[in-house]
Amino acid sequence: MNTLPLFESLKGAEVTRKKGVTVLGATGSIGMSALNVIAMHPSRYKIVALTGNTQVERLFDQCQRFMPEWAVMLDPDAAQQLRDRLRTVGLPIEVLSGTGGLNQVASLTQADIVVAAIVGAAGLLPTLMAVRAGKRVLLANKEPLVMSGRLFMQEAQRAGSELLPIDSEHNAIFQCSPGLYKVGFDRTGVRKILLTCSGGPFRNTPLAQLAGVTPDQACAHPNWVMGRKISVDSATLMNKGLELIEACWLFDATPEQIQIVIHPQSVIHSMVEYIDGSVLAQLSNPDMRTPIAHALAWPERIESGVNSLDLFAIGRLEFAPPDLVRFPCLQLAYEAARLGGTAPAVLNAANEIAVQAFLDRRITFLAIPEVIETTLSAASISQDMQLAAILTEDTRARETAIDCVARLERNHRSVGL
Ligand code: NAD
Ligand code: MG
């Protein structure tokens, strides 16, 4: 048993050096939850850099509160506005912009921990930079791992980067598993992973109504408050498909070793079954501050601000198999996982285009899987997992998906929709 070093480090927490933290995507849902936890532990953590896309006021407020050395706005105009705002209040924070700025702050020597909370493929390069710099990377941004799985894991291993999942399911699997990616599941008595899924807002919606659902209805998740892209992914169940691929890479598992379980209460965040028949589960209120706090302090435990779980109020936990007919995106993700190579990158790119088109009210909810299926079947899947090949396939898939969206839009207009 290894309890003594843990006890010693808890005792010594006040005197150890503060850990530097960079939050990529600080202005988003995960970024704000991470800052919320970090603010509870000023003696442990110090913010080194914060990044956002266009939300100047929010990043300005965060800069005033956390006093980072660097701030990055992807958008150059937004960066200039932030610079001006910070100058007026006399804060000496260096403001950078563009992907160069993101990549630069992802690998600063002052940061021990990088929270990867940008949404979508835009997070791939900065997250890889953090991994290559050997940081502890708290991974929320699942799309980079889906796109570049093997490369990403190899780079993490080579650089000695601790890749800790804060996607709630993967964090739960990590908490219930004998070890992370370094060990390999089948060598540690694991029979399978049970990846739980709430079923999203349309679990019981009559199929005939799905064609007419709006972006706001799709984003009204029953249990979680999240950014709009992942909310739509949760409504189509593509989120679970991306998470299946994410889990395969993180835990060295095959798609067949992962069973998706619909669990509408979102209290069990995933489970691990062992060959002796034991099933370990991690339970908590559906609040991302729990996995964030876990990964920030691991192997220690710190307060997250999340309330105790009230099992009597919850009363019952239900489980059901997923419905692949209702949710074709999940089926498409299984296919991409089985194809391997650049197929998950194509799946992800087409999904990003389709979801944005749905959020912009250009296509219907049911057209999302149509765009992805068309793009996947048009792609020539390569087993080359070099970064250049992945980025090329990502660009090609986006072009195909954009054409497909335009065609669907024209068809809809021509039938008067
Ligand atoms: P969000 O939309 O709330 O925030 C996204 C962040 O990324 C913002 O800070 C935004 O400014 C930034 N951003 C957007 N586009 C960018 C670009 N092109 N370049 C640089 N920065 C950009 O999203 P979120 O819900 O916080 O999700 C972030 C990631 O975490 C996603 O990959 C999501 O799948 C994953 N995740 C989220 C949750 C959740 O509860 N929200 C749970 C698990 C995993
Ligand atoms: Mg999740």
Side-chain angles (χ1 to χ4, degrees):
M1 287 286 285
N2 193 20
T3 50
L4 193 59
L6 178 59
F7 177 65
E8 287 303 318
S9 63
L10 282 172
K11 271 202 313 187
E14 287 304 313
V15 291
T16 50
R17 183 182 69 83
K18 284 187 194 184
K19 292 235 168 16
V21 185
T22 288
V23 183
L24 303 172
T27 54
S29 167
I30 291 286
M32 290 191 297
S33 292
L35 289 176
N36 200 302
V37 177
I38 288 165
M40 293 177 65
H41 303 281
S43 62
R44 281 178 170 264
Y45 305 110
K46 179 195 178 321
I47 293 293
V48 174
L50 296 173
T51 85
N53 186 9
T54 54
Q55 288 174 290
V56 176
E57 279 311 308
R58 188 170 285 172
L59 199 61
F60 174 69
D61 290 344
Q62 293 177 342
C63 283
Q64 283 196 304
R65 184 149 181 230
F66 292 96
M67 300 288 288
E69 290 169 59
W70 282 270
V72 183
M73 302 252 52
L74 182 73
D75 180 65
D77 293 337
Q80 191 51 48
Q81 286 173 38
L82 181 65
R83 228 171 260 130
D84 295 342
R85 296 279 278 124
L86 290 169
R87 196 175 305 120
T88 56
V89 292
L91 283 184
I93 296 172
E94 175 126 14
V95 180
L96 307 174
S97 69
T99 50
L102 288 175
N103 294 342
Q104 190 176 330
V105 300
S107 51
L108 293 167
T109 46
Q110 293 90 327
D112 306 280
I113 300 173
V114 174
V115 181
I118 291 175
V119 60
L124 173 60
L125 293 180
T127 310
L128 260 184
M129 293 302 286
V131 162
R132 283 178 184 157
K135 306 297 180 194
R136 169 175 290 201
V137 175
L138 271 51
L139 192 69
N141 184 198
K142 61 196 85 183
E143 294 89 346
L145 193 53
V146 168
M147 294 169 73
S148 71
R150 187 177 305 127
L151 171 87
F152 200 93
M153 298 308 292
Q154 282 170 350
E155 300 257 6
Q157 237 151 353
R158 193 173 304 139
S161 164
E162 278 179 326
L163 203 52
L164 299 183
I166 54 173
D167 204 346
S168 56
E169 295 78 2
H170 305 74
N171 183 268
I173 296 163
F174 177 39
Q175 293 200 44
C176 298
S177 76
L180 194 55
Y181 49 95
K182 286 173 194 129
V183 183
F185 251 33
D186 46 3
R187 275 172 285 147
T188 48
V190 170
R191 185 180 282 152
K192 65 179 176 188
I193 293 171
L194 297 134
L195 183 66
T196 57
C197 170
S198 70
F202 304 137
R203 186 170 54 92
N204 294 320
T205 305
L207 281 178
Q209 288 177 19
L210 282 183
V213 297
T214 65
D216 283 346
Q217 286 171 320
C219 289
H221 196 279
N223 306 333
W224 299 94
V225 180
M226 308 179 284
R228 282 173 84 75
K229 192 262 177 182
I230 184 177
S231 295
V232 176
D233 286 348
S234 300
T236 60
L237 260 57
M238 178 56 91
N239 184 49
K240 213 46 57 180
L242 299 177
E243 289 185 356
L244 172 92
I245 300 169
E246 183 186 7
C248 287
W249 288 116
L250 280 173
F251 303 108
D252 196 14
T254 62
E256 294 72 32
Q257 288 174 303
I258 301 176
Q259 183 178 5
I260 294 173
V261 178
I262 302 294
H263 165 48
Q265 290 81 13
S266 297
V267 167
I268 295 181
H269 299 295
S270 278
M271 296 170 260
V272 176
E273 181 181 323
Y274 289 82
I275 49 177
D276 60 5
S278 301
V279 177
L280 303 192
Q282 186 263 345
L283 288 72
S284 67
N285 285 317
D287 187 320
M288 293 306 292
R289 289 175 300 170
T290 294
I292 290 167
H294 172 263
L296 267 175
W298 182 82
E300 297 175 30
R301 295 273 178 175
I302 56 170
E303 292 272 355
S304 67
V306 176
N307 291 335
S308 281
L309 191 61
D310 185 345
L311 286 174
F312 299 131
I314 294 161
R316 57 195 291 166
L317 300 176
E318 295 162 302
F319 308 99
D323 180 346
L324 296 182
V325 176
R326 174 182 285 268
F327 297 113
C329 282
L330 189 52
Q331 183 68 47
L332 290 167
Y334 268 115
E335 274 166 38
R338 271 191 285 268
L339 285 169
T342 52
V346 171
L347 174 94
N348 177 66
N351 182 55
E352 286 192 26
I353 296 294
V355 169
Q356 193 55 52
F358 168 68
L359 285 171
D360 295 342
R361 293 178 172 269
R362 295 177 60 203
I363 60 170
T364 65
F365 184 74
L366 293 182
I368 295 174
E370 206 177 324
V371 172
I372 300 165
E373 188 170 13
T374 305
T375 309
L376 258 180
S377 24
S380 49
I381 305 303
S382 142
Q383 293 301 318
D384 182 356
M385 292 294 281
Q386 301 299 307
L387 190 55
I390 293 162
L391 294 176
T392 304
E393 286 311 314
D394 173 85
T395 306
R396 276 202 199 123
R398 279 169 204 271
E399 287 163 3
T400 312
I402 287 168
D403 287 348
C404 184
V405 165
R407 202 171 49 250
L408 287 168
E409 227 183 347
R410 274 197 304 275
N411 291 349
H412 276 205
R413 271 204 298 271
S414 68
V415 293
L417 286 173

